[in-house]
Amino acid sequence: MAFEAIKSQIETLLERMENQPEDKHELYLQLHEKLNEWRATGQPVPEDLLELEQALEAEFAEEEKA
């Protein structure tokens, strides 16, 4: 998949995360998948997206412990 298409899909996921916070876990999984596709293109992932991915991963790991 072209880099620009992946970037566009990530932007859409971020918008959905803002508008539908109840689906946050599902959207995180989709974001993680798209970031992996991005990584596969050889392009560096922007730092803010990496930080978001890590923060969401930590949040869900804490929820699983509870």
Side-chain angles (χ1 to χ4, degrees):
M1 181 176 290
F3 171 75
E4 288 301 319
I6 296 169
K7 184 177 173 183
S8 175
Q9 291 173 348
I10 289 173
E11 289 172 359
T12 300
L13 287 172
L14 293 175
E15 288 174 15
R16 287 179 54 204
M17 239 181 233
E18 287 180 11
N19 297 327
Q20 299 173 357
E22 67 278 359
D23 294 337
K24 198 172 176 183
H25 191 262
E26 178 63 31
L27 293 171
Y28 158 73
L29 293 174
Q30 292 176 22
L31 174 65
H32 182 71
E33 180 181 319
K34 293 301 170 191
L35 289 177
N36 283 339
E37 289 178 27
W38 188 321
R39 290 175 180 106
T41 68
Q43 297 290 324
V45 177
E47 189 65 32
D48 59 341
L49 291 177
L50 289 175
E51 290 172 5
L52 174 61
E53 179 184 38
Q54 292 169 352
L56 290 171
E57 188 174 300
E59 178 181 332
F60 296 126
E62 282 298 315
E63 288 178 8
E64 287 181 11
K65 289 180 183 177

